[in-house]
Amino acid sequence: MTGLAAVVVFTVLLPLAGASAEPEPLSVPDDAKAAAVNVPGNAQKDAPGNAPQCGPELSSPEGIEGQTCVLTEDGSTWARTYYRNATGTELRSVLTLMGPAGRTVQMHCPVSAQDEPGVCETPREPSRGKADEYSAVSEFAAAGDGPLLLRSGSNSVAPAPR
């Protein structure tokens, strides 16, 4: 989908681990899998039987936490990132869903300076392949031309314990 530029912010309350410099694996809680997230024009729920494909929960030393997932339901696929911004400053984020045949969907989501859990989603698109052919990446950076603070992927592998 070319030229898609939308700003969407969704907020749900999800437990997130405390900030740490090391990434920590965390599965998406069952209540998050079934949580309703209203998308304009689409009030579907994630069905509990549709397990999301999520990377590990990651934390940056600056105070941003995130986890990125690819979700599928009823022939649709979309990306979602869960985050918490404890940096004390507003951030910008980009969530990209990558699918078969080089198709991508990208969302730009503002991340407020409040230390509250938040969610950013891409629109639901008709699935064009198997769920494992999709991946998603979210990037969080300081507003303006600030540095990249966190990159989270749906198919990231948690680092091995030290």
Short mmCIF file of all heavy atoms in Angstrom, two decimals, residues 27-65:
data_model
loop_
_atom_site.label_atom_id
_atom_site.label_comp_id
_atom_site.label_asym_id
_atom_site.label_seq_id
_atom_site.Cartn_x
_atom_site.Cartn_y
_atom_site.Cartn_z
N SER A 27 5.95 -13.41 26.96
CA SER A 27 4.86 -13.77 26.06
C SER A 27 3.73 -12.78 26.25
O SER A 27 3.58 -12.18 27.30
CB SER A 27 4.38 -15.20 26.36
OG SER A 27 3.90 -15.25 27.67
N VAL A 28 2.94 -12.59 25.20
CA VAL A 28 1.80 -11.69 25.29
C VAL A 28 0.77 -12.34 26.20
O VAL A 28 0.41 -13.49 26.02
CB VAL A 28 1.20 -11.44 23.88
CG1 VAL A 28 -0.05 -10.61 23.99
CG2 VAL A 28 2.22 -10.77 23.00
N PRO A 29 0.30 -11.62 27.23
CA PRO A 29 -0.68 -12.20 28.14
C PRO A 29 -1.96 -12.57 27.41
O PRO A 29 -2.34 -11.94 26.43
CB PRO A 29 -0.95 -11.09 29.15
CG PRO A 29 -0.05 -9.96 28.81
CD PRO A 29 0.64 -10.25 27.53
N ASP A 30 -2.63 -13.62 27.92
CA ASP A 30 -3.87 -14.08 27.30
C ASP A 30 -4.90 -12.97 27.21
O ASP A 30 -5.62 -12.87 26.23
CB ASP A 30 -4.46 -15.27 28.06
CG ASP A 30 -3.64 -16.54 27.85
OD1 ASP A 30 -2.91 -16.61 26.84
OD2 ASP A 30 -3.73 -17.45 28.70
N ASP A 31 -4.97 -12.11 28.24
CA ASP A 31 -5.96 -11.04 28.18
C ASP A 31 -5.63 -10.03 27.09
O ASP A 31 -6.50 -9.42 26.52
CB ASP A 31 -6.12 -10.35 29.54
CG ASP A 31 -4.85 -9.67 30.02
OD1 ASP A 31 -3.75 -10.07 29.59
OD2 ASP A 31 -4.97 -8.75 30.84
N ALA A 32 -4.34 -9.88 26.73
CA ALA A 32 -3.97 -8.99 25.63
C ALA A 32 -4.35 -9.60 24.29
O ALA A 32 -4.72 -8.90 23.36
CB ALA A 32 -2.48 -8.68 25.67
N LYS A 33 -4.25 -10.93 24.19
CA LYS A 33 -4.62 -11.60 22.94
C LYS A 33 -6.10 -11.42 22.66
O LYS A 33 -6.52 -11.33 21.52
CB LYS A 33 -4.29 -13.09 23.02
CG LYS A 33 -2.83 -13.39 23.07
CD LYS A 33 -2.61 -14.87 23.24
CE LYS A 33 -1.17 -15.19 23.54
NZ LYS A 33 -0.97 -16.58 23.89
N ALA A 34 -6.89 -11.37 23.73
CA ALA A 34 -8.34 -11.27 23.55
C ALA A 34 -8.85 -9.85 23.73
O ALA A 34 -10.03 -9.61 23.61
CB ALA A 34 -9.04 -12.20 24.55
N ALA A 35 -7.95 -8.91 24.02
CA ALA A 35 -8.38 -7.52 24.28
C ALA A 35 -8.95 -6.90 23.02
O ALA A 35 -8.44 -7.08 21.93
CB ALA A 35 -7.20 -6.69 24.78
N ALA A 36 -10.01 -6.15 23.19
CA ALA A 36 -10.62 -5.46 22.05
C ALA A 36 -9.84 -4.17 21.79
O ALA A 36 -9.60 -3.40 22.69
CB ALA A 36 -12.07 -5.13 22.34
N VAL A 37 -9.44 -3.98 20.57
CA VAL A 37 -8.81 -2.73 20.17
C VAL A 37 -9.64 -2.21 19.02
O VAL A 37 -9.72 -2.82 17.96
CB VAL A 37 -7.34 -2.96 19.73
CG1 VAL A 37 -6.75 -1.66 19.25
CG2 VAL A 37 -6.54 -3.53 20.88
N ASN A 38 -10.30 -1.08 19.24
CA ASN A 38 -11.19 -0.54 18.22
C ASN A 38 -10.40 0.21 17.17
O ASN A 38 -9.69 1.15 17.47
CB ASN A 38 -12.22 0.39 18.85
CG ASN A 38 -13.19 -0.38 19.72
OD1 ASN A 38 -13.55 -1.50 19.38
ND2 ASN A 38 -13.59 0.20 20.82
N VAL A 39 -10.51 -0.25 15.96
CA VAL A 39 -9.89 0.40 14.82
C VAL A 39 -11.02 1.06 14.05
O VAL A 39 -12.04 0.43 13.82
CB VAL A 39 -9.19 -0.66 13.93
CG1 VAL A 39 -8.59 -0.02 12.70
CG2 VAL A 39 -8.15 -1.41 14.73
N PRO A 40 -10.88 2.34 13.68
CA PRO A 40 -11.97 2.98 12.96
C PRO A 40 -12.46 2.13 11.79
O PRO A 40 -11.66 1.68 10.98
CB PRO A 40 -11.33 4.29 12.46
CG PRO A 40 -10.24 4.55 13.45
CD PRO A 40 -9.73 3.20 13.85
N GLY A 41 -13.75 1.85 11.78
CA GLY A 41 -14.33 1.05 10.71
C GLY A 41 -14.15 -0.44 10.90
O GLY A 41 -14.48 -1.23 10.04
N ASN A 42 -13.56 -0.86 12.03
CA ASN A 42 -13.32 -2.27 12.23
C ASN A 42 -13.29 -2.56 13.72
O ASN A 42 -12.30 -2.35 14.37
CB ASN A 42 -11.98 -2.67 11.60
CG ASN A 42 -11.78 -4.17 11.58
OD1 ASN A 42 -12.57 -4.90 12.14
ND2 ASN A 42 -10.73 -4.61 10.95
N ALA A 43 -14.40 -3.05 14.25
CA ALA A 43 -14.49 -3.29 15.69
C ALA A 43 -14.34 -4.77 16.03
O ALA A 43 -14.94 -5.27 16.94
CB ALA A 43 -15.83 -2.77 16.20
N GLN A 44 -13.49 -5.48 15.29
CA GLN A 44 -13.27 -6.89 15.57
C GLN A 44 -12.40 -7.05 16.80
O GLN A 44 -11.68 -6.16 17.19
CB GLN A 44 -12.58 -7.56 14.39
CG GLN A 44 -13.38 -7.53 13.13
CD GLN A 44 -12.62 -8.19 12.00
OE1 GLN A 44 -11.67 -8.91 12.20
NE2 GLN A 44 -13.05 -7.93 10.79
N LYS A 45 -12.44 -8.26 17.38
CA LYS A 45 -11.57 -8.60 18.50
C LYS A 45 -10.57 -9.64 18.04
O LYS A 45 -10.83 -10.41 17.13
CB LYS A 45 -12.39 -9.20 19.66
CG LYS A 45 -13.30 -8.21 20.33
CD LYS A 45 -13.96 -8.88 21.50
CE LYS A 45 -14.86 -7.91 22.22
NZ LYS A 45 -15.47 -8.50 23.39
N ASP A 46 -9.41 -9.66 18.69
CA ASP A 46 -8.47 -10.75 18.45
C ASP A 46 -9.09 -11.99 19.07
O ASP A 46 -9.38 -12.01 20.25
CB ASP A 46 -7.13 -10.50 19.14
CG ASP A 46 -6.44 -9.26 18.62
OD1 ASP A 46 -6.75 -8.85 17.49
OD2 ASP A 46 -5.59 -8.72 19.34
N ALA A 47 -9.29 -13.01 18.29
CA ALA A 47 -9.86 -14.24 18.81
C ALA A 47 -8.82 -14.96 19.65
O ALA A 47 -7.66 -15.05 19.26
CB ALA A 47 -10.33 -15.12 17.67
N PRO A 48 -9.19 -15.47 20.84
CA PRO A 48 -8.23 -16.15 21.70
C PRO A 48 -7.52 -17.31 21.00
O PRO A 48 -6.40 -17.62 21.32
CB PRO A 48 -9.07 -16.65 22.87
CG PRO A 48 -10.26 -15.74 22.88
CD PRO A 48 -10.50 -15.37 21.44
N GLY A 49 -8.13 -17.93 20.01
CA GLY A 49 -7.51 -19.06 19.32
C GLY A 49 -6.46 -18.65 18.30
O GLY A 49 -5.74 -19.49 17.79
N ASN A 50 -6.36 -17.37 17.98
CA ASN A 50 -5.38 -16.89 17.00
C ASN A 50 -4.16 -16.37 17.73
O ASN A 50 -4.09 -15.21 18.09
CB ASN A 50 -5.98 -15.78 16.13
CG ASN A 50 -7.07 -16.31 15.24
OD1 ASN A 50 -7.07 -17.47 14.87
ND2 ASN A 50 -8.02 -15.46 14.92
N ALA A 51 -3.18 -17.24 17.96
CA ALA A 51 -1.98 -16.83 18.70
C ALA A 51 -1.15 -15.87 17.86
O ALA A 51 -0.86 -16.14 16.70
CB ALA A 51 -1.16 -18.07 19.05
N PRO A 52 -0.79 -14.74 18.43
CA PRO A 52 0.05 -13.79 17.69
C PRO A 52 1.48 -14.31 17.57
O PRO A 52 1.93 -15.11 18.38
CB PRO A 52 -0.01 -12.53 18.54
CG PRO A 52 -0.38 -12.98 19.91
CD PRO A 52 -1.16 -14.24 19.74
N GLN A 53 2.17 -13.83 16.56
CA GLN A 53 3.59 -14.13 16.36
C GLN A 53 4.34 -12.92 16.89
O GLN A 53 4.36 -11.86 16.26
CB GLN A 53 3.84 -14.31 14.86
CG GLN A 53 5.27 -14.41 14.44
CD GLN A 53 5.38 -14.38 12.92
OE1 GLN A 53 4.51 -14.85 12.21
NE2 GLN A 53 6.45 -13.80 12.43
N CYS A 54 4.90 -13.05 18.11
CA CYS A 54 5.52 -11.91 18.78
C CYS A 54 6.99 -12.15 19.05
O CYS A 54 7.40 -13.26 19.37
CB CYS A 54 4.84 -11.65 20.12
SG CYS A 54 3.11 -11.19 19.98
N GLY A 55 7.74 -11.07 18.95
CA GLY A 55 9.13 -11.10 19.38
C GLY A 55 9.17 -10.88 20.88
O GLY A 55 8.14 -10.71 21.53
N PRO A 56 10.37 -10.87 21.45
CA PRO A 56 10.49 -10.66 22.90
C PRO A 56 10.19 -9.23 23.29
O PRO A 56 10.28 -8.32 22.46
CB PRO A 56 11.96 -11.00 23.17
CG PRO A 56 12.65 -10.68 21.89
CD PRO A 56 11.66 -11.04 20.80
N GLU A 57 9.84 -9.03 24.55
CA GLU A 57 9.72 -7.68 25.08
C GLU A 57 11.14 -7.14 25.27
O GLU A 57 12.00 -7.83 25.80
CB GLU A 57 8.99 -7.68 26.41
CG GLU A 57 8.87 -6.28 26.96
CD GLU A 57 8.16 -6.23 28.30
OE1 GLU A 57 7.48 -7.20 28.66
OE2 GLU A 57 8.32 -5.21 28.97
N LEU A 58 11.36 -5.92 24.79
CA LEU A 58 12.68 -5.31 24.89
C LEU A 58 12.61 -4.01 25.66
O LEU A 58 11.59 -3.33 25.64
CB LEU A 58 13.24 -5.03 23.48
CG LEU A 58 13.37 -6.24 22.56
CD1 LEU A 58 13.81 -5.79 21.17
CD2 LEU A 58 14.34 -7.25 23.14
N SER A 59 13.69 -3.66 26.33
CA SER A 59 13.79 -2.41 27.08
C SER A 59 15.08 -1.71 26.70
O SER A 59 16.11 -2.36 26.51
CB SER A 59 13.83 -2.69 28.58
OG SER A 59 12.67 -3.34 29.00
N SER A 60 15.02 -0.39 26.61
CA SER A 60 16.23 0.38 26.34
C SER A 60 16.68 1.08 27.63
O SER A 60 15.86 1.34 28.50
CB SER A 60 15.98 1.42 25.25
OG SER A 60 15.26 2.50 25.77
N PRO A 61 17.97 1.38 27.74
CA PRO A 61 18.44 2.11 28.92
C PRO A 61 17.76 3.47 29.08
O PRO A 61 17.65 3.98 30.18
CB PRO A 61 19.94 2.28 28.67
CG PRO A 61 20.30 1.29 27.63
CD PRO A 61 19.06 1.04 26.83
N GLU A 62 17.29 4.05 27.97
CA GLU A 62 16.64 5.35 28.02
C GLU A 62 15.23 5.29 28.61
O GLU A 62 14.66 6.33 28.93
CB GLU A 62 16.57 5.97 26.61
CG GLU A 62 17.91 6.32 26.03
CD GLU A 62 18.63 5.13 25.39
OE1 GLU A 62 18.02 4.05 25.26
OE2 GLU A 62 19.80 5.28 25.04
N GLY A 63 14.62 4.10 28.70
CA GLY A 63 13.32 3.98 29.33
C GLY A 63 12.15 3.66 28.42
O GLY A 63 11.00 3.83 28.81
N ILE A 64 12.41 3.19 27.20
CA ILE A 64 11.30 2.77 26.33
C ILE A 64 11.26 1.24 26.33
O ILE A 64 12.30 0.59 26.26
CB ILE A 64 11.43 3.35 24.90
CG1 ILE A 64 10.23 2.97 24.02
CG2 ILE A 64 12.72 2.97 24.24
CD1 ILE A 64 9.00 3.72 24.30
N GLU A 65 10.06 0.68 26.46
CA GLU A 65 9.86 -0.77 26.42
C GLU A 65 8.92 -1.07 25.27
O GLU A 65 7.99 -0.31 25.00
CB GLU A 65 9.22 -1.27 27.71
CG GLU A 65 10.00 -0.95 28.95
CD GLU A 65 9.23 -1.31 30.22
OE1 GLU A 65 8.31 -2.14 30.16
OE2 GLU A 65 9.56 -0.73 31.25
#
